[in-house]
Amino acid sequence: MTSTASVPETTLLRLAGWPYFVIAFVARLPFAMMVVGVLTVVVSSRDSLTLGGLTSAAVGVGTACFGPFLGAASDRFGQRIVLSILAVANATMLIVFTLVVYSTAVDALVLAAAFGIGATAPQVSPLSRSRLVTMITERMPQERRARTLSGTMAYESAADETVFVFGPFIVGILASFLAPWAPLVGAAALTLLFVGAFALHPSASYVSIERDAQGRAPSSVAELFRPGLLIVVLGIFGVGIFFGTMLTSLTAFMDVRGEPEQAGLLYGVMGVGSAVLALGVAWLPARFTLRARWITFAGILFGGALLLGTVETTGQMAMVLAIMGIGIGPTLVTQYSLGASRSPLGRSATVMTMLGSAIIVGQSLGAAVTGSLAEQYGVAAALTLPMIAAGIAFVAGIVNWFVRAHPRAHVA
C-alpha cells in the first residue's frame, strides 16, 4: 500500500508568518500618534492652537513630499536598508522636536522640526502592502491570487483604520496620565523597536528587486504616469479629501450643538462600519469586478454624502455616517487593489507610497479648507465639501471604467 504525504497549502499566513502581522500592525502606531501628539504638545507648551494646527499640517506635508521618494528608494535598494535608516532617523526627529518645542526656539524652527518628522516617517502601511503583494504574485498558486490579494487589501485597510482610532486614544492616555511630551517619546520608542523589527523581518527578503545591468528597476519612471494608474491616484486623492473634510465639518456641526468633543465618537460610526465592510470585500464574487466595485461603492458614498445637506439632528448625522461607511471602506480597498494590479514591474513600493501620499495630501488639504470655510460661512457651507470630495471619488470610478490598463504595467 502506498501513502501520499499531504502537501501543506500555500497561504499568505504561512508565507509571512503570524508574527509579521503583529509587528506590521504595531509598527503603524507611531505615525497615528505623531500628528495628534504634535498638536497636543504644541498647544500645551506654547499655548497656541493655531501653531498646533500648523505643526500637524507640517508633519503631513513632510510625509506627502518624501513618501514616494522613500518608496522609490525601497524599490531601488530594498526595504530592509531604507526602513532601518528611517527607524533611527524618525525616532531621532521625534526627540529633537520635543526638545525644540519646549525650548525658546522660534516657531519657524518648530515647524521645520515637524516637517522633519513627516519627511522621515517610515512608510509602514504602503511598504507592507507592497511586501504582501509581492508574496502573493510571486509565491502563491495562480488560481488563489485574486481572492488572496482582495482579502489582503481589505485587511490592510481595516488595520489602517483601526490604528488611526487607537493612535489618538493612546496619545490621550499618555498625555493625561504622564505628560504632554510622553506620546512623542513613546512613538520614538515604538518606532525604534517595531519599525526596526519590521525592517529586519525575514519577509523583507521576499520583495524582489529586479534590475538591469545598470542596477535600475526594469520599469521606467514614465510607466508610473500611465492613465490606468493616475486615475487610481486621483480617486484615492478624493477619498483623502473626504476624510479631511468630513471630520472637520463634523467637528463644526457638533460645535454648534455645544458638544465638539463628541465629534470623534460620532465619526467612529462611519469608521467601524467602514472597517467591517472593508474586510467583507474579500468574500465578494470574482465576477463583481474591481471596476464595478469602485463605481458601486463610491456611488453609495456619494449618495450618502448628498444626504448631508438634509441633516439637522445628531441622530440623522449618525445615520448618514453609517450609510457612507458602507461605501468608504470597500472603495478604498478596491482602489488599493487596482493600484497593486497596475504597478509597473519593480515599482510596487513606489506605487503604494504614491497612493498613501495622495490620501495624506487630500486629508490635509480638505481639513485646512473646511476649517476656514466653517469659520467664515458656517456649518452648511462646510458640509458641502464632503459631497464634492465623494463626487471626485465617484467620477474617477466612472472614468476608470473606460480606462484600459497598459499590459506592461501589471506586476504579475
Side-chain angles (χ1 to χ4, degrees):
M1 180 182 293
T2 60
S3 61
T4 57
S6 60
V7 179
E9 186 181 58
T10 303
T11 64
L12 187 60
L13 185 61
R14 184 182 297 277
L15 285 173
W18 67 263
Y20 169 85
F21 293 96
V22 175
I23 292 169
F25 182 83
V26 180
R28 301 168 203 252
L29 269 175
F31 185 77
M33 297 168 64
M34 286 174 198
V35 177
V36 181
V38 162
L39 175 64
T40 302
V41 75
V42 170
V43 172
S44 171
S45 62
R46 302 235 167 179
D47 195 26
S48 173
L49 187 58
T50 300
L51 181 61
L54 287 173
T55 51
S56 294
V59 174
V61 170
T63 304
C65 288
F66 282 84
F69 294 106
L70 297 177
S74 297
D75 283 329
R76 176 68 176 81
F77 303 107
Q79 288 193 18
R80 182 162 292 168
I81 181 65
V82 174
L83 282 169
S84 296
I85 294 171
L86 289 176
V88 176
N90 191 242
T92 302
M93 284 307 306
L94 285 165
I95 300 300
V96 168
F97 176 83
T98 305
L99 296 174
V100 168
V101 79
Y102 278 103
S103 71
T104 57
V106 295
D107 292 347
L109 192 57
V110 175
L111 291 172
F115 181 86
I117 290 175
T120 58
Q123 303 288 308
V124 174
S125 292
L127 292 183
S128 175
R129 284 181 171 92
S130 172
R131 196 179 292 191
L132 295 176
V133 165
T134 303
M135 291 185 207
I136 293 167
T137 56
E138 295 188 358
R139 288 171 170 76
M140 290 196 69
Q142 176 71 37
E143 65 274 10
R144 295 217 317 277
R145 289 179 189 172
R147 181 171 290 275
T148 305
L149 179 63
S150 179
T152 300
M153 293 299 106
Y155 162 76
E156 287 286 311
S157 296
D160 284 344
E161 293 194 37
T162 302
V163 162
F164 276 95
V165 169
F166 281 102
F169 178 70
I170 294 172
V171 169
I173 291 178
L174 293 176
S176 299
F177 291 95
L178 294 177
W181 50 261
L184 294 183
V185 175
L190 285 175
T191 298
L192 274 178
L193 291 174
F194 285 91
V195 174
F198 181 69
L200 299 176
H201 190 272
S203 64
S205 63
Y206 284 13
V207 180
S208 60
I209 312 170
E210 301 181 54
R211 305 188 182 108
D212 60 17
Q214 284 73 42
R216 296 172 300 192
S219 299
S220 68
V221 174
E223 291 198 36
L224 294 171
F225 298 96
R226 294 191 180 278
L229 188 54
L230 289 180
I231 195 62
V232 179
V233 175
L234 176 62
I236 214 164
F237 176 67
V239 171
I241 295 175
F242 175 80
F243 283 141
T245 55
M246 190 64 248
L247 181 56
T248 307
S249 59
L250 178 61
T251 303
F253 177 84
M254 295 304 294
D255 186 47
V256 169
R257 285 152 183 77
E259 298 177 322
E261 69 281 355
Q262 297 295 317
L265 210 58
L266 200 58
Y267 192 71
V269 172
M270 184 180 73
V272 171
S274 173
V276 171
L277 285 158
L279 288 172
V281 169
W283 283 273
L284 292 174
R287 62 180 178 273
F288 188 12
T289 65
L290 292 175
R291 294 174 190 264
R293 292 179 194 181
W294 186 347
I295 293 177
T296 301
F297 291 112
I300 294 172
L301 173 64
F302 184 45
L306 292 177
L307 294 175
L308 289 170
T310 67
V311 169
E312 294 182 356
T313 66
T314 303
Q316 291 174 342
M317 178 61 80
M319 286 184 60
V320 171
L321 287 168
I323 292 171
M324 291 188 295
I326 295 173
I328 190 69
T331 298
L332 197 59
V333 171
T334 301
Q335 290 168 334
Y336 269 115
S337 297
L338 279 168
S341 68
R342 296 175 183 177
S343 297
L345 187 64
R347 302 279 184 183
S348 177
T350 307
V351 170
M352 288 300 143
T353 48
M354 283 171 61
L355 297 180
S357 295
I359 290 182
I360 294 169
V361 172
Q363 192 169 9
S364 301
L365 179 64
V369 173
T370 306
S372 176
L373 197 66
E375 283 188 4
Q376 295 184 37
Y377 301 103
V379 176
L383 285 172
T384 61
L385 295 182
M387 303 179 199
I388 295 172
I392 292 173
F394 180 53
V395 171
I398 295 175
V399 174
N400 178 70
W401 181 270
F402 300 98
V403 171
R404 180 177 294 276
H406 194 277
R408 287 179 61 201
H410 287 241
V411 175

PDB file of all heavy atoms in Angstrom, residues 167-196:
ATOM      1  N   GLY A 167      -4.548  55.125  17.836  1.00  0.00           N
ATOM      2  CA  GLY A 167      -3.423  56.045  17.968  1.00  0.00           C
ATOM      3  C   GLY A 167      -3.740  57.275  18.805  1.00  0.00           C
ATOM      4  O   GLY A 167      -3.089  57.546  19.835  1.00  0.00           O
ATOM      5  N   PRO A 168      -4.773  58.055  18.419  1.00  0.00           N
ATOM      6  CA  PRO A 168      -5.153  59.226  19.220  1.00  0.00           C
ATOM      7  C   PRO A 168      -5.582  58.864  20.639  1.00  0.00           C
ATOM      8  O   PRO A 168      -5.359  59.632  21.579  1.00  0.00           O
ATOM      9  CB  PRO A 168      -6.331  59.819  18.424  1.00  0.00           C
ATOM     10  CG  PRO A 168      -6.084  59.377  17.017  1.00  0.00           C
ATOM     11  CD  PRO A 168      -5.497  57.998  17.146  1.00  0.00           C
ATOM     12  N   PHE A 169      -6.196  57.676  20.797  1.00  0.00           N
ATOM     13  CA  PHE A 169      -6.621  57.230  22.128  1.00  0.00           C
ATOM     14  C   PHE A 169      -5.403  57.027  23.034  1.00  0.00           C
ATOM     15  O   PHE A 169      -5.390  57.447  24.204  1.00  0.00           O
ATOM     16  CB  PHE A 169      -7.409  55.925  21.989  1.00  0.00           C
ATOM     17  CG  PHE A 169      -7.868  55.337  23.296  1.00  0.00           C
ATOM     18  CD1 PHE A 169      -8.869  55.949  24.035  1.00  0.00           C
ATOM     19  CD2 PHE A 169      -7.289  54.176  23.788  1.00  0.00           C
ATOM     20  CE1 PHE A 169      -9.293  55.407  25.247  1.00  0.00           C
ATOM     21  CE2 PHE A 169      -7.701  53.635  24.992  1.00  0.00           C
ATOM     22  CZ  PHE A 169      -8.708  54.248  25.726  1.00  0.00           C
ATOM     23  N   ILE A 170      -4.355  56.400  22.490  1.00  0.00           N
ATOM     24  CA  ILE A 170      -3.122  56.192  23.261  1.00  0.00           C
ATOM     25  C   ILE A 170      -2.472  57.522  23.598  1.00  0.00           C
ATOM     26  O   ILE A 170      -1.965  57.718  24.715  1.00  0.00           O
ATOM     27  CB  ILE A 170      -2.153  55.292  22.471  1.00  0.00           C
ATOM     28  CG1 ILE A 170      -2.736  53.885  22.327  1.00  0.00           C
ATOM     29  CG2 ILE A 170      -0.786  55.225  23.153  1.00  0.00           C
ATOM     30  CD1 ILE A 170      -1.946  52.977  21.412  1.00  0.00           C
ATOM     31  N   VAL A 171      -2.478  58.448  22.645  1.00  0.00           N
ATOM     32  CA  VAL A 171      -1.933  59.787  22.897  1.00  0.00           C
ATOM     33  C   VAL A 171      -2.659  60.446  24.071  1.00  0.00           C
ATOM     34  O   VAL A 171      -2.038  61.044  24.957  1.00  0.00           O
ATOM     35  CB  VAL A 171      -2.054  60.671  21.631  1.00  0.00           C
ATOM     36  CG1 VAL A 171      -1.739  62.132  21.968  1.00  0.00           C
ATOM     37  CG2 VAL A 171      -1.100  60.174  20.560  1.00  0.00           C
ATOM     38  N   GLY A 172      -3.982  60.346  24.086  1.00  0.00           N
ATOM     39  CA  GLY A 172      -4.769  60.949  25.159  1.00  0.00           C
ATOM     40  C   GLY A 172      -4.431  60.364  26.515  1.00  0.00           C
ATOM     41  O   GLY A 172      -4.306  61.098  27.507  1.00  0.00           O
ATOM     42  N   ILE A 173      -4.253  59.049  26.569  1.00  0.00           N
ATOM     43  CA  ILE A 173      -3.923  58.390  27.844  1.00  0.00           C
ATOM     44  C   ILE A 173      -2.543  58.832  28.344  1.00  0.00           C
ATOM     45  O   ILE A 173      -2.372  59.218  29.509  1.00  0.00           O
ATOM     46  CB  ILE A 173      -3.972  56.860  27.684  1.00  0.00           C
ATOM     47  CG1 ILE A 173      -5.413  56.397  27.482  1.00  0.00           C
ATOM     48  CG2 ILE A 173      -3.358  56.175  28.906  1.00  0.00           C
ATOM     49  CD1 ILE A 173      -5.552  54.914  27.265  1.00  0.00           C
ATOM     50  N   LEU A 174      -1.546  58.775  27.468  1.00  0.00           N
ATOM     51  CA  LEU A 174      -0.182  59.138  27.867  1.00  0.00           C
ATOM     52  C   LEU A 174      -0.076  60.606  28.261  1.00  0.00           C
ATOM     53  O   LEU A 174       0.585  60.957  29.254  1.00  0.00           O
ATOM     54  CB  LEU A 174       0.794  58.829  26.725  1.00  0.00           C
ATOM     55  CG  LEU A 174       1.006  57.354  26.381  1.00  0.00           C
ATOM     56  CD1 LEU A 174       1.909  57.208  25.166  1.00  0.00           C
ATOM     57  CD2 LEU A 174       1.604  56.611  27.572  1.00  0.00           C
ATOM     58  N   ALA A 175      -0.738  61.476  27.484  1.00  0.00           N
ATOM     59  CA  ALA A 175      -0.683  62.911  27.784  1.00  0.00           C
ATOM     60  C   ALA A 175      -1.396  63.240  29.084  1.00  0.00           C
ATOM     61  O   ALA A 175      -0.960  64.117  29.844  1.00  0.00           O
ATOM     62  CB  ALA A 175      -1.295  63.705  26.635  1.00  0.00           C
ATOM     63  N   SER A 176      -2.483  62.533  29.363  1.00  0.00           N
ATOM     64  CA  SER A 176      -3.268  62.812  30.562  1.00  0.00           C
ATOM     65  C   SER A 176      -2.607  62.282  31.830  1.00  0.00           C
ATOM     66  O   SER A 176      -2.585  62.957  32.863  1.00  0.00           O
ATOM     67  CB  SER A 176      -4.676  62.201  30.429  1.00  0.00           C
ATOM     68  OG  SER A 176      -5.358  62.751  29.331  1.00  0.00           O
ATOM     69  N   PHE A 177      -2.056  61.078  31.764  1.00  0.00           N
ATOM     70  CA  PHE A 177      -1.533  60.434  32.964  1.00  0.00           C
ATOM     71  C   PHE A 177      -0.027  60.627  33.172  1.00  0.00           C
ATOM     72  O   PHE A 177       0.459  60.447  34.293  1.00  0.00           O
ATOM     73  CB  PHE A 177      -1.864  58.939  32.957  1.00  0.00           C
ATOM     74  CG  PHE A 177      -3.329  58.645  33.136  1.00  0.00           C
ATOM     75  CD1 PHE A 177      -4.148  58.445  32.042  1.00  0.00           C
ATOM     76  CD2 PHE A 177      -3.896  58.616  34.401  1.00  0.00           C
ATOM     77  CE1 PHE A 177      -5.502  58.189  32.195  1.00  0.00           C
ATOM     78  CE2 PHE A 177      -5.249  58.365  34.577  1.00  0.00           C
ATOM     79  CZ  PHE A 177      -6.063  58.144  33.464  1.00  0.00           C
ATOM     80  N   LEU A 178       0.698  60.991  32.132  1.00  0.00           N
ATOM     81  CA  LEU A 178       2.130  61.222  32.288  1.00  0.00           C
ATOM     82  C   LEU A 178       2.469  62.689  32.030  1.00  0.00           C
ATOM     83  O   LEU A 178       2.622  63.464  32.971  1.00  0.00           O
ATOM     84  CB  LEU A 178       2.929  60.304  31.347  1.00  0.00           C
ATOM     85  CG  LEU A 178       2.843  58.804  31.652  1.00  0.00           C
ATOM     86  CD1 LEU A 178       3.617  57.994  30.613  1.00  0.00           C
ATOM     87  CD2 LEU A 178       3.377  58.506  33.059  1.00  0.00           C
ATOM     88  N   ALA A 179       2.569  63.070  30.765  1.00  0.00           N
ATOM     89  CA  ALA A 179       2.894  64.454  30.409  1.00  0.00           C
ATOM     90  C   ALA A 179       2.611  64.648  28.925  1.00  0.00           C
ATOM     91  O   ALA A 179       2.553  63.676  28.172  1.00  0.00           O
ATOM     92  CB  ALA A 179       4.378  64.740  30.700  1.00  0.00           C
ATOM     93  N   PRO A 180       2.424  65.899  28.459  1.00  0.00           N
ATOM     94  CA  PRO A 180       2.146  66.135  27.037  1.00  0.00           C
ATOM     95  C   PRO A 180       3.232  65.618  26.099  1.00  0.00           C
ATOM     96  O   PRO A 180       2.952  65.290  24.945  1.00  0.00           O
ATOM     97  CB  PRO A 180       2.031  67.667  26.962  1.00  0.00           C
ATOM     98  CG  PRO A 180       1.609  68.081  28.332  1.00  0.00           C
ATOM     99  CD  PRO A 180       2.311  67.139  29.260  1.00  0.00           C
ATOM    100  N   TRP A 181       4.502  65.558  26.605  1.00  0.00           N
ATOM    101  CA  TRP A 181       5.584  65.079  25.749  1.00  0.00           C
ATOM    102  C   TRP A 181       5.647  63.556  25.660  1.00  0.00           C
ATOM    103  O   TRP A 181       6.315  62.994  24.783  1.00  0.00           O
ATOM    104  CB  TRP A 181       6.941  65.598  26.248  1.00  0.00           C
ATOM    105  CG  TRP A 181       7.185  65.369  27.716  1.00  0.00           C
ATOM    106  CD1 TRP A 181       7.017  66.282  28.716  1.00  0.00           C
ATOM    107  CD2 TRP A 181       7.624  64.157  28.352  1.00  0.00           C
ATOM    108  NE1 TRP A 181       7.328  65.723  29.940  1.00  0.00           N
ATOM    109  CE2 TRP A 181       7.703  64.418  29.742  1.00  0.00           C
ATOM    110  CE3 TRP A 181       7.962  62.880  27.892  1.00  0.00           C
ATOM    111  CZ2 TRP A 181       8.096  63.458  30.670  1.00  0.00           C
ATOM    112  CZ3 TRP A 181       8.357  61.909  28.813  1.00  0.00           C
ATOM    113  CH2 TRP A 181       8.420  62.205  30.175  1.00  0.00           C
ATOM    114  N   ALA A 182       4.958  62.864  26.562  1.00  0.00           N
ATOM    115  CA  ALA A 182       5.047  61.407  26.644  1.00  0.00           C
ATOM    116  C   ALA A 182       4.641  60.691  25.351  1.00  0.00           C
ATOM    117  O   ALA A 182       5.292  59.706  24.959  1.00  0.00           O
ATOM    118  CB  ALA A 182       4.219  60.895  27.820  1.00  0.00           C
ATOM    119  N   PRO A 183       3.570  61.122  24.656  1.00  0.00           N
ATOM    120  CA  PRO A 183       3.211  60.414  23.417  1.00  0.00           C
ATOM    121  C   PRO A 183       4.321  60.425  22.361  1.00  0.00           C
ATOM    122  O   PRO A 183       4.513  59.431  21.646  1.00  0.00           O
ATOM    123  CB  PRO A 183       1.986  61.188  22.917  1.00  0.00           C
ATOM    124  CG  PRO A 183       1.395  61.795  24.133  1.00  0.00           C
ATOM    125  CD  PRO A 183       2.560  62.139  25.003  1.00  0.00           C
ATOM    126  N   LEU A 184       5.064  61.533  22.250  1.00  0.00           N
ATOM    127  CA  LEU A 184       6.120  61.603  21.249  1.00  0.00           C
ATOM    128  C   LEU A 184       7.309  60.728  21.630  1.00  0.00           C
ATOM    129  O   LEU A 184       7.917  60.076  20.770  1.00  0.00           O
ATOM    130  CB  LEU A 184       6.570  63.051  21.051  1.00  0.00           C
ATOM    131  CG  LEU A 184       5.512  63.985  20.448  1.00  0.00           C
ATOM    132  CD1 LEU A 184       6.096  65.379  20.236  1.00  0.00           C
ATOM    133  CD2 LEU A 184       4.973  63.428  19.142  1.00  0.00           C
ATOM    134  N   VAL A 185       7.643  60.690  22.910  1.00  0.00           N
ATOM    135  CA  VAL A 185       8.716  59.801  23.369  1.00  0.00           C
ATOM    136  C   VAL A 185       8.295  58.340  23.184  1.00  0.00           C
ATOM    137  O   VAL A 185       9.094  57.493  22.766  1.00  0.00           O
ATOM    138  CB  VAL A 185       9.061  60.099  24.840  1.00  0.00           C
ATOM    139  CG1 VAL A 185      10.084  59.093  25.366  1.00  0.00           C
ATOM    140  CG2 VAL A 185       9.597  61.521  24.988  1.00  0.00           C
ATOM    141  N   GLY A 186       7.027  58.059  23.485  1.00  0.00           N
ATOM    142  CA  GLY A 186       6.512  56.708  23.271  1.00  0.00           C
ATOM    143  C   GLY A 186       6.539  56.313  21.809  1.00  0.00           C
ATOM    144  O   GLY A 186       6.896  55.181  21.453  1.00  0.00           O
ATOM    145  N   ALA A 187       6.175  57.265  20.937  1.00  0.00           N
ATOM    146  CA  ALA A 187       6.212  56.991  19.491  1.00  0.00           C
ATOM    147  C   ALA A 187       7.634  56.728  19.015  1.00  0.00           C
ATOM    148  O   ALA A 187       7.871  55.869  18.165  1.00  0.00           O
ATOM    149  CB  ALA A 187       5.609  58.174  18.729  1.00  0.00           C
ATOM    150  N   ALA A 188       8.602  57.456  19.593  1.00  0.00           N
ATOM    151  CA  ALA A 188      10.009  57.248  19.236  1.00  0.00           C
ATOM    152  C   ALA A 188      10.459  55.838  19.630  1.00  0.00           C
ATOM    153  O   ALA A 188      11.151  55.151  18.859  1.00  0.00           O
ATOM    154  CB  ALA A 188      10.887  58.294  19.912  1.00  0.00           C
ATOM    155  N   ALA A 189      10.058  55.396  20.817  1.00  0.00           N
ATOM    156  CA  ALA A 189      10.429  54.052  21.277  1.00  0.00           C
ATOM    157  C   ALA A 189       9.797  52.974  20.402  1.00  0.00           C
ATOM    158  O   ALA A 189      10.462  51.995  20.018  1.00  0.00           O
ATOM    159  CB  ALA A 189      10.003  53.874  22.735  1.00  0.00           C
ATOM    160  N   LEU A 190       8.509  53.149  20.069  1.00  0.00           N
ATOM    161  CA  LEU A 190       7.826  52.179  19.213  1.00  0.00           C
ATOM    162  C   LEU A 190       8.456  52.132  17.822  1.00  0.00           C
ATOM    163  O   LEU A 190       8.559  51.070  17.203  1.00  0.00           O
ATOM    164  CB  LEU A 190       6.341  52.540  19.090  1.00  0.00           C
ATOM    165  CG  LEU A 190       5.453  52.249  20.309  1.00  0.00           C
ATOM    166  CD1 LEU A 190       4.042  52.786  20.078  1.00  0.00           C
ATOM    167  CD2 LEU A 190       5.408  50.756  20.598  1.00  0.00           C
ATOM    168  N   THR A 191       8.870  53.296  17.326  1.00  0.00           N
ATOM    169  CA  THR A 191       9.496  53.358  16.011  1.00  0.00           C
ATOM    170  C   THR A 191      10.789  52.555  15.988  1.00  0.00           C
ATOM    171  O   THR A 191      11.038  51.752  15.075  1.00  0.00           O
ATOM    172  CB  THR A 191       9.776  54.817  15.607  1.00  0.00           C
ATOM    173  OG1 THR A 191       8.531  55.514  15.520  1.00  0.00           O
ATOM    174  CG2 THR A 191      10.494  54.903  14.275  1.00  0.00           C
ATOM    175  N   LEU A 192      11.624  52.773  16.994  1.00  0.00           N
ATOM    176  CA  LEU A 192      12.891  52.036  17.054  1.00  0.00           C
ATOM    177  C   LEU A 192      12.657  50.534  17.146  1.00  0.00           C
ATOM    178  O   LEU A 192      13.292  49.744  16.435  1.00  0.00           O
ATOM    179  CB  LEU A 192      13.713  52.516  18.247  1.00  0.00           C
ATOM    180  CG  LEU A 192      14.600  53.744  18.049  1.00  0.00           C
ATOM    181  CD1 LEU A 192      15.287  54.093  19.359  1.00  0.00           C
ATOM    182  CD2 LEU A 192      15.632  53.512  16.943  1.00  0.00           C
ATOM    183  N   LEU A 193      11.739  50.139  18.022  1.00  0.00           N
ATOM    184  CA  LEU A 193      11.543  48.712  18.282  1.00  0.00           C
ATOM    185  C   LEU A 193      10.803  48.012  17.151  1.00  0.00           C
ATOM    186  O   LEU A 193      11.272  47.007  16.601  1.00  0.00           O
ATOM    187  CB  LEU A 193      10.783  48.524  19.603  1.00  0.00           C
ATOM    188  CG  LEU A 193      11.553  48.891  20.873  1.00  0.00           C
ATOM    189  CD1 LEU A 193      10.627  48.795  22.089  1.00  0.00           C
ATOM    190  CD2 LEU A 193      12.744  47.970  21.059  1.00  0.00           C
ATOM    191  N   PHE A 194       9.632  48.534  16.797  1.00  0.00           N
ATOM    192  CA  PHE A 194       8.766  47.788  15.874  1.00  0.00           C
ATOM    193  C   PHE A 194       9.023  48.095  14.410  1.00  0.00           C
ATOM    194  O   PHE A 194       8.909  47.199  13.569  1.00  0.00           O
ATOM    195  CB  PHE A 194       7.295  48.016  16.250  1.00  0.00           C
ATOM    196  CG  PHE A 194       6.881  47.254  17.468  1.00  0.00           C
ATOM    197  CD1 PHE A 194       6.986  47.815  18.735  1.00  0.00           C
ATOM    198  CD2 PHE A 194       6.427  45.955  17.365  1.00  0.00           C
ATOM    199  CE1 PHE A 194       6.628  47.107  19.870  1.00  0.00           C
ATOM    200  CE2 PHE A 194       6.072  45.229  18.492  1.00  0.00           C
ATOM    201  CZ  PHE A 194       6.174  45.804  19.752  1.00  0.00           C
ATOM    202  N   VAL A 195       9.360  49.346  14.078  1.00  0.00           N
ATOM    203  CA  VAL A 195       9.742  49.607  12.687  1.00  0.00           C
ATOM    204  C   VAL A 195      11.071  48.909  12.401  1.00  0.00           C
ATOM    205  O   VAL A 195      11.275  48.362  11.312  1.00  0.00           O
ATOM    206  CB  VAL A 195       9.833  51.118  12.405  1.00  0.00           C
ATOM    207  CG1 VAL A 195      10.364  51.369  10.992  1.00  0.00           C
ATOM    208  CG2 VAL A 195       8.466  51.771  12.570  1.00  0.00           C
ATOM    209  N   GLY A 196      11.951  48.908  13.405  1.00  0.00           N
ATOM    210  CA  GLY A 196      13.202  48.173  13.255  1.00  0.00           C
ATOM    211  C   GLY A 196      12.950  46.689  13.049  1.00  0.00           C
ATOM    212  O   GLY A 196      13.570  46.054  12.190  1.00  0.00           O
TER     213      GLY A 196
END
